[in-house]
Amino acid sequence: MPTSASTSTNRPEVLISLLRSESKEVKVKSLRELKNQIIGNRTKKLSYIKLGAVPKILEILSSSDDSESSILIQSAATIGSFACGVDVGVKAVLDSGAFPHLIRLLSHLDDKVVDAGARSLKMIYQSKLAPKYDFHKDGNMAFLLSLLNSENENVTELGASIITHSCETSAEQKVLCEAGALSRLLILLKGSLNQREASLDSLAAMTESNSEVISKFVGLDSGRALNSLTELLKDRYPRTRLLASVCLIVIGHTSPNYLQDIGIKTKLIMILIELLEEPGRVGDEVPFALANLIADKEDLQQLAFEINALDKLCSFLHNDTIHTKRLKGILLAIAELCSRLENCRARFMSMQALNLVTNALTHDCAEVRSAACICMRSVTRSVKNLSAGHFLDDMIVTPLVQLLHDQCTLVQVTALKTICNIVVDVTNRKSVFIQCGGLKELVLLSKSMDSTLRLNSVWALRNLMFLAESNNKERIVSEITASTLTSLVCDPEPSIQEQALALVRNLVDGGISSIEHVFVEGGIIINAVGRQVRNASKSEVCIQGIYILGNIATGSESHKEAVMHQLLQEAPSVLLKFLKCSDARLRVAAIWCVVNLTYPGGPGSSVRVARLRDSGIISQIKSMVNDSCLDAKFRVRTALEQCKPVLGCLGVKLSATNEQDHF
Amino acid sequence: MSMFRVFISHLTDIETMTTSKKVITREEWEKKLNDVKIRKEDMNKLVMNFLVTEGYVEAAERFKMESGTEPDIDLATITDRMAVKKAVQCGNVEDAIEKVNDLNPEILDTNPQLFFHLQQQRLIELIRNGKVEEALEFAQEELAPRGEENQSFLEELERTVALLAFEDVSNCPVGELLDISQRLKTASEVNAAILTSQSHEKDPKLPSLLKMLIWAQNQLDEKAAYPRINDLSTAILEDPAV
């Protein structure tokens, strides 16, 4: 039997049995020992939770009266420690019904008991698992304000933690604001270090996306409240600087007019970049704040780039022992920096940082893998590098393709979005991707039950098909199969229908042999396309469908005939409906069809013109010579020109389509 | 801080008066220093801040009584903090951990690095006392799980366990872990964490003032010869070398 490490240490089972002792002294002693065993020690917490220690301790807490201060202190502290850092622990504490008993301690006469109760409650509220505090419930707001107004620091911090944890909706922000929480938080901002940090967290929660609360805050303290925040940017404590920055970022996102000064923006970026060096929690959280600050703001991205943010961020990628959370944040911040600016992407490539991000694709943590994908997706927006074929490389493609069967759906989706960009490649290196097994994986995912996976895999297939050489088209089509393609065209999700149709559109782009692909197996594909064109309610779906038919109409006589059949089989025809449609994009697409169907020279062209005339198409087109859309107007003239018989041969080929990114 | 602003502004006066390196005599210098006004209460606060931060609780109590200076922290907490510090310095790490947890259980629960260093110090003490078996078991049970959670802890743990592999630890590459300075390092880390948890600065202000004095003298050295303070403990003005 193993001996314990220290003679004074009791085994968990023994210790738990000692808790039941009649002697108060033994009880306090064993509670304290248990507390000392679990503080800072995840493993021990888990094993005690398994042994059912939490409800036993709660029983002691709830059955002790106010005179037993030391039992109250030790049991509350132990419960608080169970709720610290371990989700299972928070759950066990909540399940045991600890809340009312800990709250009872807040009104105890002994300050030490109050401290213990407040600290434990604070621990619980720092967890996402804690139940939301209902600000609207009778008496709750008054109680919360009494916490914020308390003389006891731990109690005021608890009040702030409750706000940080539970204030989410604008209604909650408003009711808190009306109750005076905002001005109280502003006072705490001038309190001790701990109060200041708790208050900054709460202020961020209360002002998030709420311009009304923000303007109220800005007006506080005769208009000096915002100044108090900016002053804290100079604070000597790194965490305070970070939290003040986060608050200002939140305010700036919703009410940019308060953060217009370029000076303050530059300052924020500089502070955050400087804080990247901080060890521990601060340094781990900084990259997220930076990413948030520059998200979707090209001017700030440029500013950050100019003060070397990219170099600094990339330098962390060289560090092998970097904390997982920090690595994730850094990848996301790089992703934001490179999301729009080509000069950032160029610098990124020149620093050879791509290899480092590629390494992160195989990281143990799913969130890091996903962040690495997002980062790579930003970088691969670079048309210049795409055209140079820099991304279709075994070293990059292989790990990305691996991620397509990742256990985590989020990773699969972000990998798909990156692949969407990479396969756009126009340098005839698409076979690299196919040889790495990427095509097989995409096709597999296009049959997934998860609609997001389906959507993004079809999107990637569409881009892979974009301007693909005919042998690659062959491989793609035979891998997908006509029947899968047909069912994707008829997918229940309109967005997937649209991508599947765009995929077919890229397939038929490129000569008669390409067009033949949609006529296999009794024409199931073209029939599906026709059905969608006639029945779909979403314009984007119809547009893709008509362009497919327009492209097919550049083919042989029988191809044109098939298109006529799809477009004119109802009366009034779907073609007429689109020509009369208010959506100019649909009108232009429909006129393209007419142009290609009436292209003179073929043996059947005059017959087709006659049929179009019979179904009212030509007279409709005549009425469109002054169409408000210039493009439509121009095509209408061509179509009318062609309806007079002249010599000619082929139709006009319509462009293929790719949409590189999901902005 | 006001004292230094005045002081430095005097120095800049001197700077603008000279183009080459100017010599300032003792009389001139003392006259200038006499013109600088320092408030007594500011001095007292600096002294109190030093006593409190460094943990001289009895001296702080006396000083509070005699000078009427209010400390910015509850003096009772200093006693607790000093007891923790002393326990680490004497090698009673387990006792120190229990005391910190009584003071504020959040400190070690939310500061994995400090917790690890204390446990590491416990391991070092076991090894120092020749309790090899106990040390191994402790390393395996308490420290190894922390190493699994954090790569850098694992490396430190390996370094510590390496102490067991050497016969003459005083002469081995990781021998410094057994040094008294390792205890002091750990003790000051706990001390700082407790102070931070009490919203108190972890360093006293007085040393930074002296650092600024040295910096200011170094700046001035390039421009003038003046009575310098070389020995901080006596603060004697030494005649300029002419």
Side-chain angles (χ1 to χ4, degrees), chain A residues 2-9 11 32 35-45 74 77 80-82 84 119 122-123 126 153-154 157 192-195 236-237 321, chain B residues 80 94-95 97-99 101-106 108-110 115 119 122 126 133-134 137-138 141-142 145-146 149-152 155 196-203 205:
Chain A
T3 54
S4 58
S6 155
T7 44
S8 65
T9 314
R11 288 267 146 207
R32 185 163 178 265
K35 179 192 76 179
N36 286 325
Q37 281 194 26
I38 63 166
I39 285 181
N41 194 328
R42 230 182 107 82
T43 350
K44 283 262 172 68
K45 283 181 193 180
Q74 296 301 335
S81 181
F82 274 119
C84 177
R119 282 193 186 118
K122 208 168 64 182
M123 289 294 181
Q126 272 162 12
E153 271 197 35
N154 282 309
E157 284 168 39
S192 74
L193 172 65
N194 293 334
Q195 286 177 325
R236 51 177 304 181
Y237 285 95
T321 58
Chain B
D80 298 330
E94 197 178 351
D95 185 36
I97 291 177
E98 288 175 6
K99 285 192 161 81
N101 289 342
D102 279 338
L103 206 54
N104 180 350
E106 275 173 78
L108 296 184
D109 241 344
T110 56
F115 182 67
Q119 297 285 62
R122 243 177 109 176
L126 287 173
E133 239 170 85
E134 218 176 295
E137 198 184 329
F138 181 74
E141 268 207 18
E142 298 285 331
R146 306 289 84 74
E149 290 159 14
N150 185 315
Q151 178 68 27
S152 60
E155 282 163 25
T196 307
S197 78
Q198 295 167 341
S199 293
H200 198 280
E201 309 236 352
K202 58 184 196 295
D203 301 308
K205 310 266 191 204

Side-chain angles (χ1 to χ4, degrees), chain A residues 112-388:
Chain A
K112 290 228 159 80
V113 178
V114 179
D115 281 340
R119 282 193 186 118
S120 293
L121 284 164
K122 208 168 64 182
M123 289 294 181
I124 297 174
Y125 275 114
Q126 272 162 12
S127 161
K128 284 197 178 71
L129 296 178
K132 254 185 86 150
Y133 188 86
D134 185 356
F135 300 108
H136 300 281
K137 200 175 147 199
D138 255 359
N140 267 8
M141 187 59 84
F143 178 69
L144 177 64
L145 286 174
S146 76
L147 297 182
L148 288 174
N149 288 321
S150 165
E151 295 278 318
N152 182 309
E153 271 197 35
N154 282 309
V155 176
T156 51
E157 284 168 39
L158 166 64
S161 302
I162 292 178
I163 296 179
T164 308
H165 174 271
S166 298
C167 176
E168 287 168 338
T169 67
S170 60
E172 286 159 352
Q173 291 167 330
K174 196 166 167 234
V175 69
L176 273 167
C177 188
E178 280 163 1
L182 214 47
S183 39
R184 184 61 200 155
L185 287 174
L186 188 63
I187 294 170
L188 292 179
L189 214 50
K190 292 167 186 131
S192 74
L193 172 65
N194 293 334
Q195 286 177 325
R196 198 162 70 203
E197 292 181 351
S199 157
L200 284 169
D201 272 332
S202 303
L203 282 173
M206 275 190 70
T207 48
E208 173 95 53
S209 312
N210 192 327
S211 52
E212 213 178 310
V213 173
I214 291 173
S215 69
K216 217 167 189 176
F217 172 75
V218 170
L220 284 177
D221 200 6
S222 20
R224 283 194 299 265
L226 201 58
N227 202 33
S228 311
L229 272 186
T230 40
E231 276 301 304
L232 289 178
L233 292 179
K234 293 184 232 153
D235 196 88
R236 51 177 304 181
Y237 285 95
R239 182 150 187 85
T240 305
R241 293 204 294 279
L242 169 64
L243 295 177
S245 309
V246 169
C247 252
L248 286 166
I249 293 169
V250 165
I251 290 176
H253 271 323
T254 308
S255 310
N257 48 326
Y258 294 124
L259 223 67
Q260 252 168 355
D261 181 16
I262 187 79
I264 180 93
K265 290 183 193 166
T266 317
K267 202 160 159 194
L268 276 174
I269 294 176
M270 280 167 64
I271 287 168
L272 292 176
I273 291 176
E274 190 188 286
L275 287 173
L276 282 173
E277 303 277 356
E278 283 297 318
R281 223 173 116 196
V282 173
D284 292 347
E285 288 172 18
V286 169
F288 294 93
L290 182 62
N292 194 6
L293 172 63
I294 60 174
D296 301 323
K297 299 211 168 61
E298 202 172 310
D299 55 335
L300 292 188
Q301 290 165 7
Q302 182 61 36
L303 212 57
F305 178 65
E306 280 163 14
I307 38 189
N308 256 347
L310 187 66
D311 292 46
K312 190 79 169 272
L313 287 166
C314 287
S315 70
F316 285 95
L317 297 177
H318 291 283
N319 182 348
D320 289 334
T321 58
I322 185 170
H323 191 263
T324 305
K325 184 176 178 192
R326 187 181 298 214
L327 178 56
K328 177 187 166 195
I330 289 192
L331 289 166
L332 292 177
I334 297 176
E336 288 299 348
L337 263 176
C338 295
S339 63
R340 289 167 188 230
L341 298 173
E342 187 62 27
N343 53 354
C344 273
R345 296 179 198 136
R347 175 83 192 133
F348 177 89
M349 294 301 285
S350 73
M351 283 190 293
Q352 314 287 324
L354 190 60
N355 290 338
L356 300 168
V357 175
T358 312
N359 289 343
L361 289 174
T362 51
H363 196 275
D364 286 340
C365 168
E367 290 182 33
V368 172
R369 294 197 296 276
S370 161
C373 284
I374 295 172
C375 183
M376 204 169 259
R377 177 177 157 218
S378 276
V379 177
T380 52
R381 282 177 187 156
S382 165
V383 176
K384 206 173 122 203
N385 282 298
L386 271 176
S387 329

Side-chain angles (χ1 to χ4, degrees), chain A residues 408-521:
Chain A
C408 168
T409 314
L410 182 69
V411 175
Q412 290 178 298
V413 171
T414 46
L416 280 171
K417 289 182 177 179
T418 313
I419 288 175
C420 270
N421 287 354
I422 289 183
V423 296
V424 167
D425 173 277
V426 287
T427 52
N428 292 330
R429 292 170 58 90
K430 292 188 197 256
S431 41
V432 173
F433 180 79
I434 298 173
Q435 272 149 17
C436 284
L439 173 61
K440 268 201 165 59
E441 292 293 337
L442 289 183
V443 171
L444 216 59
L445 288 177
S446 71
K447 297 171 194 161
S448 161
M449 294 293 285
D450 183 318
S451 62
T452 322
L453 284 174
R454 245 177 15 251
L455 171 67
N456 287 289
S457 52
V458 177
W459 202 319
L461 284 168
R462 162 199 180 176
N463 286 358
L464 184 65
M465 188 71 91
F466 173 68
L467 298 182
E469 290 176 302
S470 59
N471 61 329
N472 282 336
K473 271 190 184 169
E474 211 74 55
R475 288 161 86 174
I476 300 170
V477 172
S478 67
E479 189 69 44
I480 304 180
T481 72
S483 62
T484 305
L485 196 48
T486 306
S487 54
L488 286 170
V489 167
C490 306
D491 195 280
E493 296 285 331
S495 54
I496 297 175
Q497 297 165 9
E498 183 192 346
Q499 294 306 322
L501 287 167
L503 166 59
V504 177
R505 182 176 165 193
N506 285 345
L507 171 65
V508 296
D509 167 56
I512 304 264
S513 63
S514 300
I515 294 174
E516 285 296 339
H517 288 299
V518 296
F519 287 95
V520 295
E521 295 183 31

